[in-house]
Amino acid sequence: MSTEPTLSTPPIAPAGAEKAPDDQSKLKTFLSILRKYANPMTSFLMTIISSYILIRTCYFLKNTKFIGVADIASVRISLPAQLLEPTPNLEYWNYLDRPETFIWFIGDPEDEVARMLAVLRFWFTKDLKYVKGKPCKPYNSALGEFFRCNWEVTDDAPPIFSTTDRPLSNNATSKTIRVSYLTEQTSHHPPVSAFWVDCPEKGISARGFDQLSAKFTGTSIRVTPGAHNLGIFINIQRRNNEEYQLTHPAAHLGGLHRGSLSVTVSDICFVTCPKTNLKVILHYIEEGWLGKVQNKVVGVMYRYNPETDKITKIKDVPEKDVVGRIEGCWHDQVFYTLTGSKEPVILVDLKPLFPVPKIIPPEVDQLPNESRRFWRDVTAAIHNRQYGIATKRKTELEERQREKVVMREDQNEEWKPRFFTGSVTPIGKPELTDEGKLALKGLHEGNYRLQESLVTGA
């Protein structure tokens, strides 16, 4: 068993492996499930339909959950293994597809506008998997399951801007810097996970809760952040704990009636920093007047009063407060134009970018409830196209979780996460426990050894 940090690669399928399902066979499987369960209740029917949608489409927010009558996200469906991507949910859904943008100049510049632009550059790269990758449905997370990893990136970004009136030195050093990530499934009903991103060398961290809500509108499904998901909170320690809150826009999963499913994002989201009094409104615009998808985004950065500001639309921002404007395609290139200039400057070019691999703890150091080890028998069976075995192993894990839920209820015990202080918080910002801080410290140092969890959720 390897003691070195690794990245897994799919093994070659053995002789006698089952045929890998294509989209048509996946649809037939779902239709058989529909025939079995459609009569008892319409809400369950809609849950199954939404599950098929998530096999075929990606949502650029973090998503593995579904809705029933009011909220698909509160319902967990046990799907056959051949319909799943052999990837743990906590590993797949993260915001660091390009982790170098998390450290590039977010905290370095003296100019607060440059820092805000650096945050926006991170924002447009954080979900690159949905732009470049294929649709997939990872495993549902088990209560208490956790995932951790590192990225090693080079601090060699070009400056955000450099003009005579806004001089900005390039502080890039071309040295390798480590970014660490820890996430844990803190609640099962509703499904909520907490996450923490940390880069001590640059004095930058990010945290938040991931939870989604989804509602069927008749022709599409609208997916929005859940009640506990208040966005991503980025903290810059060296700037007196300057904090940025990045909220998520809603998405629509459409094409149900045509059988040609698609994802559109047509909503408004915000990036705010109370310490610098800077706010950005981003408006995602999908369909033009001929119905062609544009993947367009426009935005405005302006000075605001955190105590009194209630502006939610770009057109309502007073021109005297505008610092700069954003425009482009969130699948392609995004530009900014500062007030007083007429020349757009490229903020980020997504065309050549793809998600970068993670550095995973060696298997010998992974705990039983650590994502890759927890799901490894299911993953191995799927890679080997032994879907019957994979479904059996997956069902065993899910049944074990149900038994532990009943056991805790009988003993009147409340579930407590290991690495975070609570399942949720009213302000959307999780706090680390002492064990959570120790786990992150180990990641920073390349020391992956942890004591086994005394209590597990499955």
Side-chain angles (χ1 to χ4, degrees):
M1 189 175 290
S2 173
T3 59
E4 295 297 321
T6 59
L7 289 170
S8 65
T9 55
I12 299 174
E18 301 173 42
K19 181 182 178 181
D22 54 19
D23 282 346
Q24 186 175 9
S25 63
K26 289 179 181 180
L27 179 56
K28 287 180 179 178
T29 302
F30 270 103
L31 290 176
S32 68
I33 297 174
L34 289 176
R35 284 193 293 269
K36 182 177 179 181
Y37 292 105
N39 290 331
M41 53 195 253
T42 302
S43 62
F44 193 82
L45 173 65
M46 289 317 307
T47 300
I48 297 296
I49 292 175
S50 68
S51 300
Y52 174 59
I53 291 170
L54 291 172
I55 298 295
R56 300 283 306 275
T57 59
C58 281
Y59 172 43
F60 84 112
L61 294 178
K62 197 168 181 182
N63 185 7
T64 68
K65 299 98 183 175
F66 318 106
I67 42 182
V69 176
D71 189 357
I72 293 175
S74 64
V75 180
R76 289 299 185 100
I77 297 301
S78 181
L79 297 175
Q82 63 265 36
L83 301 181
L84 301 175
E85 185 75 7
T87 304
N89 165 58
L90 294 180
E91 176 179 351
Y92 184 76
W93 304 103
N94 68 81
Y95 299 116
L96 283 103
D97 287 341
R98 299 298 302 195
E100 72 274 21
T101 64
F102 183 69
I103 65 166
W104 280 355
F105 286 101
I106 285 183
D108 290 341
E110 294 298 325
D111 191 288
E112 57 200 28
V113 174
R115 295 198 296 274
M116 176 61 85
L117 287 169
V119 170
L120 291 176
R121 179 160 58 183
F122 159 74
W123 171 263
F124 288 114
T125 63
K126 70 181 178 62
D127 294 312
L128 200 61
K129 68 174 75 63
Y130 311 128
V131 177
K132 300 298 179 74
K134 70 171 186 175
C136 70
K137 169 66 179 74
Y139 311 132
N140 283 339
S141 301
L143 185 63
E145 179 187 341
F146 76 99
F147 176 78
R148 54 186 171 141
C149 70
N150 284 325
W151 291 270
E152 291 185 350
V153 297
T154 304
D155 184 20
D156 58 358
I160 288 288
F161 54 65
S162 180
T163 64
T164 54
D165 59 325
R166 290 180 179 273
L168 176 62
S169 61
N170 189 338
N171 296 326
T173 60
S174 296
K175 66 184 293 188
T176 299
I177 293 178
R178 179 170 289 172
V179 180
S180 300
Y181 179 71
L182 176 67
T183 181
E184 179 181 16
Q185 191 74 13
T186 56
S187 171
H188 190 63
H189 294 293
V192 179
S193 61
F195 68 88
W196 197 289
V197 184
D198 202 17
C199 182
E201 191 168 351
K202 301 288 282 188
I204 307 171
S205 63
R207 56 178 167 163
F209 287 105
D210 280 315
Q211 179 202 8
L212 292 183
S213 177
K215 295 183 179 180
F216 183 63
T217 64
T219 58
S220 66
I221 292 178
R222 177 177 168 83
V223 185
T224 60
H228 303 292
N229 184 345
L230 301 185
I232 304 170
F233 294 85
I234 296 178
N235 181 277
I236 306 175
Q237 185 179 14
R238 67 178 62 179
R239 299 292 173 186
N240 194 26
N241 291 315
E242 188 172 284
E243 185 176 75
Y244 297 78
Q245 181 180 5
L246 297 76
T247 67
H248 300 293
H252 284 270
L253 307 175
L256 299 179
H257 60 292
R258 300 189 307 269
S260 176
L261 303 169
S262 60
V263 179
T264 59
V265 183
S266 181
D267 196 20
I268 293 174
C269 61
F270 309 95
V271 181
T272 53
C273 180
K275 278 189 180 293
T276 62
N277 295 333
L278 284 175
K279 176 177 176 179
V280 175
I281 301 175
L282 294 175
H283 186 185
Y284 287 83
I285 304 168
E286 284 308 313
E287 292 191 358
W289 67 279
L290 291 177
K292 183 179 179 181
V293 174
Q294 302 180 87
N295 299 318
K296 185 179 179 181
V297 62
V298 296
V300 62
M301 183 194 306
Y302 68 100
R303 301 284 179 184
Y304 84 117
N305 184 330
E307 302 296 327
T308 61
D309 180 82
K310 298 183 184 302
I311 297 175
T312 59
K313 295 181 180 179
I314 294 175
K315 66 181 181 64
D316 295 333
V317 176
E319 193 62 36
K320 64 180 178 62
D321 296 331
V322 173
V323 175
R325 297 189 181 274
I326 308 295
E327 186 170 8
C329 170
W330 59 274
H331 277 212
D332 193 351
Q333 293 180 322
V334 180
F335 300 83
Y336 70 88
T337 306
L338 297 178
T339 298
S341 172
K342 294 183 179 180
E343 284 296 320
V345 179
I346 191 163
L347 178 65
V348 62
D349 183 0
L350 298 171
K351 293 196 299 294
L353 301 182
F354 288 85
V356 299
K358 311 170 185 69
I359 300 172
I360 309 295
E363 188 172 338
V364 69
D365 289 331
Q366 294 179 28
L367 302 191
N369 59 327
E370 195 157 354
S371 291
R372 284 203 179 182
R373 182 174 168 185
F374 183 80
W375 293 103
R376 67 181 175 185
D377 291 343
V378 180
T379 300
I382 293 176
H383 281 316
N384 291 330
R385 300 181 185 176
Q386 297 170 324
Y387 300 115
I389 295 175
T391 298
K392 180 180 178 182
R393 297 288 180 264
K394 175 175 171 291
T395 302
E396 290 171 352
L397 293 174
E398 292 167 344
E399 186 57 35
R400 197 167 73 195
Q401 179 174 221
R402 295 186 191 100
E403 290 172 355
K404 291 201 173 187
V405 169
V406 173
M407 187 183 304
R408 286 195 302 273
E409 290 176 348
D410 290 343
Q411 298 174 359
N412 198 27
E413 292 181 353
E414 181 182 357
W415 171 260
K416 293 183 180 179
R418 176 178 178 178
F419 301 109
F420 295 89
T421 58
S423 299
V424 296
T425 68
I427 59 174
K429 294 186 279 189
E431 296 289 346
L432 292 168
T433 61
D434 289 341
E435 288 196 83
K437 295 174 184 176
L438 185 64
L440 274 175
K441 183 174 183 291
L443 283 171
H444 303 330
E445 298 172 352
N447 177 12
Y448 302 107
R449 294 294 176 93
L450 289 175
Q451 295 293 325
E452 288 202 13
S453 301
L454 297 177
V455 180
T456 58

